[in-house]
Amino acid sequence: MDRGRPRPARRAGRGPPHDPLRKPGGSTVHGDLLIIGAGATGVSCFVNAVRAARHRSVRIVDPRDVGRGLAFGESHPDLLTNSSCEANSLMPDEPYDFVDYLRGRGLSPAPRDVVPRGLLGAYIAQRFEEYSALAVARGVRVEQTRAGARSIGKDADGYRVGLSDGTEVRASDVVIAAGLDKPRVPELMRAHQDDPAFLASPFPAERLSHRVPPGSRVLVLGSRQSAVDAALLLCGEGGHVTMASPSGQLPAVRTATPLLPPSATAAKGIASLDPSDPHLVPRLTRIIVESVRQCDARPLREQITNVSDPVHRLRAEIALAESGACAWQDVAVGVSAELAAWLPTLPPPARSTVLRAFHTVGRRYATALILPNARKLLGHIDRGALRLARDYPVRVRRRGPGWSVEWPDGDVNTVDRVVSACGYEPPKLWHDRTDDSIHLEQAPRHARPVDQLSADLRLRVSPEAAPENIWVVGAATHVRVLFFATLLYIAAHQAKDVALQLGARSTPALHELAELSH
């Protein structure tokens, strides 16, 4: 298939979608489904559940508007999706669904293109509306509750979900699709979290713009995606930004994250590796390199750079991306999916060995910058609006209306604002044995973290316990799939797998959905 060739839109982005069950009256009706989270992952769960099963009711719980989470709730044009349109469908069975939505709006993206994040948020919201209408037409009650979910308790009829407004709602099945919400604040700034001149996160962008006056001198802590977003926003408002992180390294640069079939690369061989092999890491490396070679015959060493200076490296990687010498991006999605499935199956020692070997390079390339924003970032550096610090501050103290920043070499400078852009803490679940409840916030003193998740993503409070009718999807699956859990492509596949489990009690539904997959 020619990935760049325009395709006709499946539908114009309006009206109800095709009903994948086609015979709603013949499907088994289950109980009440509750989905925690209304961002991309939560809506993917909702859409796939409507397609694969039929519940009496479906409730989605989130204090924010549907589709307007931290990831895709921004409208600023500099904040682009970090993956290609074809990797952002809510439905794995329809990988071009987001592309079709955009074309229905009169846009003409190629499948490999990236677009402003706000468009993805609008797509998520519209698909929720469409599939809500489809569910209602089948007689399913659809409700949205604007509150946060705090706890899940058991009773004779299923589960009681405690909400942030003090109320409870009941469900027979629960899917936890909570996104990233709690900013990761570095030790350097934890004593200043309530200071108005400190921002724990650059998002939402509107708040950043409101609290940081144009032209301010700003210290941005971090150098990955969130920090790059912060720098682009602040420099675009005339700010003077110093970016500092312990690594001092920026992400790599890519032009796209295309979807290649598993047969197109050697990545499928990852699953056959022997975890007891003393040469496990070299063999895994060989598979990844061979996967890249199958996409581009040029040696991998000609598609990467080992320049140590971050600015020189950024410049060199932009040149490589512009020349098309970055075939590693073509296998990024496939390799990530294979690793996300394979790593949890390894014994802990082997898993630790692989993670240590690939931690730095894996994160750098898995979370690479998209080329347009890399160019903008370099432009801000070249005109003197952005500086990449060689060191990390040893101390930041309040001084008058601003901050005094002390560096390892003894130098001291002053800034007006400090912005932490160190990412977000992954959602954590806690199990309280005293009443067998699950907690998403404010864990009781006796609660213990849920640090294991089985392959079916179904919650088990202990290895010997029976599985609950509680599933975990997306960011909260980090205890199993590590940092891959934040990728929408992987979360959508998880959502489909969970939806199939929810509908497994309905044989006609599974058969009908299986037909759509072929």
Side-chain angles (χ1 to χ4, degrees), residues 26 55 145 394 461:
H55 284 78
T145 300
V394 296
V461 295

Side-chain angles (χ1 to χ4, degrees), residues 346-365:
L346 300 183
R351 184 164 60 245
S352 297
T353 297
V354 172
L355 290 175
R356 282 196 304 270
F358 289 94
H359 180 268
T360 301
V361 66
R363 282 187 176 273
R364 189 168 186 277
Y365 286 91

Side-chain angles (χ1 to χ4, degrees), residues 194-480:
D194 296 327
D195 195 302
F198 168 67
L199 285 83
S201 165
F203 306 117
E206 183 178 356
R207 182 184 62 185
L208 184 74
S209 177
H210 177 71
R211 291 180 54 182
V212 181
S216 296
R217 299 163 298 171
V218 185
L219 171 65
V220 172
L221 298 173
S223 60
R224 297 190 185 278
Q225 285 291 342
S226 294
V228 170
D229 287 343
L232 293 175
L233 293 170
L234 292 166
C235 291
E237 293 290 329
H240 300 275
V241 177
T242 297
M243 185 186 295
S245 72
S247 72
Q249 293 295 322
L250 294 167
V253 179
R254 63 187 175 199
T255 63
T257 53
L259 294 184
L260 297 181
S263 58
T265 74
K268 61 184 182 299
I270 291 174
S272 64
L273 291 173
D274 180 1
S276 64
D277 188 340
H279 303 293
L280 178 62
V281 169
R283 294 190 194 283
L284 175 58
T285 302
R286 192 174 300 122
I287 287 176
I288 296 174
V289 172
E290 177 61 19
S291 297
V292 176
R293 191 197 65 77
Q294 290 178 349
C295 297
D296 192 318
R298 283 174 287 190
L300 183 58
R301 65 177 177 274
E302 295 180 8
Q303 303 182 54
I304 60 176
T305 176
N306 293 320
V307 175
S308 59
D309 180 84
V311 176
H312 293 165
R313 191 171 191 172
L314 176 63
R315 199 179 304 276
E317 290 184 328
I318 288 174
L320 288 170
E322 289 176 336
S323 69
C326 55
W328 54 265
Q329 69 179 20
D330 296 345
V331 306
V333 174
V335 167
S336 294
E338 292 294 327
L339 289 174
W342 175 68
L343 281 170
T345 69
L346 300 183
R351 184 164 60 245
S352 297
T353 297
V354 172
L355 290 175
R356 282 196 304 270
F358 289 94
H359 180 268
T360 301
V361 66
R363 282 187 176 273
R364 189 168 186 277
Y365 286 91
T367 61
L369 298 179
I370 205 69
L371 179 59
N373 280 354
R375 287 171 173 152
K376 291 179 182 177
L377 197 71
L378 183 60
H380 292 313
I381 292 172
D382 286 343
R383 67 181 181 84
L386 173 62
R387 180 177 74 91
L388 301 185
R390 295 182 178 274
D391 296 304
Y392 193 67
V394 296
R395 188 176 293 105
V396 178
R397 294 188 291 185
R398 203 67 155 91
R399 175 170 293 179
W403 301 90
S404 172
V405 184
E406 301 177 24
W407 300 89
D409 61 3
D411 190 23
V412 178
N413 68 298
T414 302
V415 297
D416 303 307
R417 297 288 188 273
V418 177
V419 177
S420 174
C422 301
Y424 289 81
E425 299 287 352
K428 295 180 181 179
L429 304 177
W430 304 81
H431 176 229
D432 187 351
R433 294 186 177 182
T434 60
D435 61 0
D436 212 17
S437 58
I438 301 297
H439 294 261
L440 293 83
E441 297 181 14
Q442 301 174 347
R445 184 163 55 92
H446 299 293
R448 294 185 177 183
V450 177
D451 55 7
Q452 293 185 344
L453 196 61
S454 55
D456 59 4
L457 304 181
R458 202 169 177 180
L459 197 65
R460 291 166 174 82
V461 295
S462 65
E464 64 277 2
E468 301 288 344
N469 283 348
I470 302 174
W471 287 262
V472 184
V473 176
T477 65
H478 67 94
V479 296
R480 179 171 180 85

Side-chain angles (χ1 to χ4, degrees), residues 16-210:
H18 170 68
D19 186 341
L21 294 184
R22 295 199 289 274
K23 298 177 182 178
S27 300
T28 301
V29 178
H30 306 310
D32 303 298
L33 172 63
L34 186 144
I35 299 171
I36 298 173
T41 301
V43 174
S44 181
C45 290
F46 174 80
V47 167
N48 283 284
V50 171
R51 288 163 62 87
R54 184 180 173 196
H55 284 78
R56 181 170 53 232
S57 71
V58 182
R59 182 189 299 269
I60 194 161
V61 173
D62 196 306
R64 296 188 180 91
D65 291 339
V66 171
R68 301 302 178 183
L70 287 173
F72 306 119
E74 300 288 352
S75 59
H76 196 286
D78 279 350
L79 299 179
L80 304 177
T81 58
N82 201 44
S83 51
S84 298
C85 292
E86 64 179 346
N88 283 317
S89 172
L90 296 175
M91 295 166 282
D93 293 336
E94 299 186 35
Y96 287 92
D97 188 57
F98 182 42
V99 177
D100 291 340
Y101 165 81
L102 294 172
R103 291 175 179 172
R105 289 187 52 160
L107 304 174
S108 55
R112 292 191 177 202
D113 285 351
V114 297
V115 296
R117 292 177 203 169
L119 289 173
L120 185 52
Y123 157 72
I124 294 165
Q126 180 160 323
R127 289 297 181 258
F128 176 73
E129 291 180 3
E130 292 175 349
Y131 277 86
S132 292
L134 174 59
V136 170
R138 290 190 196 154
V140 179
R141 187 171 71 254
V142 176
E143 299 175 278
Q144 182 185 359
T145 300
R146 291 180 176 274
R150 289 187 169 175
S151 63
I152 305 172
K154 295 183 184 180
D155 62 22
D157 299 321
Y159 301 96
R160 307 180 317 276
V161 180
L163 304 179
S164 57
D165 61 7
T167 63
E168 286 186 341
V169 289
R170 295 178 180 272
S172 57
D173 302 305
V174 178
V175 178
I176 300 172
L180 302 175
D181 193 53
K182 182 180 179 182
R184 183 179 289 121
V185 178
E187 182 67 33
L188 196 66
M189 297 303 298
R190 287 181 186 169
H192 306 289
Q193 294 190 62
D194 296 327
D195 195 302
F198 168 67
L199 285 83
S201 165
F203 306 117
E206 183 178 356
R207 182 184 62 185
L208 184 74
S209 177
H210 177 71

